[in-house]
Amino acid sequence: MSECMKPRLSVDLSGQVALVTGAARGLGRTIAEALARCGARLACIDINTELLGDAIAAIRAMGTEAEPWACDVTDGDRVSQVVDEVVKRFGQLDILVNNAGITRDGLLIRMKDDQWDAVLNINLKGTFLFTRAAARPIMKSPRGRIINIASVSGLMGNPGQANYSASKAGVIGLTRTASRELASRGVTVNAVAPGFIATDMTAKLGEETLELIRKEIPLGRMGQPQDVADAVLFLASPAAEFITGHVLTVDGGLTV
Ligand code: NAP
């Protein structure tokens, strides 16, 4: 099992199909498990096939249908193929969570082109490719939802993250445009902007840096993956049907 707690929201997603990218570990895995606990059938996408197998086993152990797809979110042909296969396997697609993302931190004046390209390709282009491929099947859903995982870095910037903050600001712009384009089809498109959440991504910052970060967070702690998963559940739920183009920060007050 992943580190996640039980969902604190009671949301009924039975009969729905959700696709989560970057579902093998971290936030993506917790989000996929939370959606599955609420009754959704899961299409789990990741480049890390070994850990993806563990995530699928954990979801199936809950008695929920889940299928893995190995996919690099930057590969447009593969992304289209995966979405086609998901629709063929489950017969529908209702919820897309664009979560796969990376960091390649470094100060702006020393940042290499490959650091910039990798982060923009995975975080921003990957989100675009899955949104484009999934939009048609999601438009057929009576309550289509697209939820993009951005970051507070895309709202406030962060030294050492020119590439990452640009990619996440781009995700927010993409979210707003997609929300306007898809609204007439009843599809809502929102972003969740986490602050510092305890996953492998932040563990590599080191304990000293994490302690400094904790002091900057008004609520006095790092977020847990479940804090983000619960925000996703809310946006996926019928209770959020009139919310679109919104950026929901989950940051303990960091951006206040
Ligand atoms: P994580 O623990 O590093 O997990 C990311 C997952 O995405 C991994 O399984 C990774 O595979 C996969 N992935 C990476 N590149 C991929 C690609 N090209 N195609 C498909 N899958 C790929 O990250 P996380 O902390 O859970 O973060 C998830 C999302 O939340 C990201 O978008 C991140 O930017 C965002 N976020 C996180 C935080 C935080 O504090 N953790 C804060 C704000 C926003 P590998 O194992 O092979 O790397």
Side-chain angles (χ1 to χ4, degrees), residues 13 16-21 23 28-45 55-56 59-60 62 64-69 86 89-90 93 95 97:
L13 299 176
Q16 299 198 44
V17 175
L19 186 160
V20 180
T21 69
R29 177 164 171 179
T30 306
I31 291 165
E33 289 182 358
L35 291 164
R37 277 203 189 86
C38 292
R41 290 174 289 158
L42 260 294
C44 294
I45 278 69
I56 292 292
I59 294 174
R60 286 180 180 162
M62 297 175 203
T64 310
E65 275 182 75
E67 293 293 341
W69 273 271
V86 168
R89 165 66 179 79
F90 290 110
L93 180 57
I95 301 163
V97 182

Side-chain angles (χ1 to χ4, degrees), residues 22 24-28 46-48 51 71-74 99-102 122-123 149-151 164 168 194-197 199-202:
R25 63 188 173 104
L27 298 184
D46 210 289
I47 204 168
N48 186 332
L51 288 181
C71 173
D72 178 344
V73 298
T74 67
N99 162 82
I102 61 163
I122 293 174
N123 298 7
I149 307 302
S151 166
Y164 185 77
K168 295 300 188 177
F196 288 95
I197 312 295
T199 68
D200 296 341
M201 184 179 270
T202 46

Side-chain angles (χ1 to χ4, degrees), residues 129-208:
L129 291 173
F130 259 103
T131 302
R132 184 176 64 181
R136 278 197 179 86
I138 289 180
M139 282 192 277
K140 294 189 185 135
S141 167
R143 49 175 103 107
R145 300 278 197 272
I146 298 175
I147 301 161
N148 297 326
I149 307 302
S151 166
V152 295
S153 189
L155 293 169
M156 61 195 283
N158 195 23
Q161 292 198 315
N163 50 0
Y164 185 77
S165 60
S167 74
K168 295 300 188 177
V171 166
I172 290 168
L174 171 61
T175 300
R176 291 191 170 130
T177 292
S179 74
R180 288 175 181 273
E181 290 192 14
L182 301 180
S184 64
R185 313 304 286 265
V187 177
T188 70
V189 188
N190 292 289
V192 172
F196 288 95
I197 312 295
T199 68
D200 296 341
M201 184 179 270
T202 46
K204 58 189 180 197
L205 294 172
E207 194 40 48
E208 214 172 301

Side-chain angles (χ1 to χ4, degrees), residues 74-89:
T74 67
D75 179 345
D77 291 341
R78 178 67 182 144
V79 168
S80 300
Q81 186 185 27
V82 166
V83 171
D84 287 349
E85 289 176 11
V86 168
V87 174
K88 203 173 281 176
R89 165 66 179 79

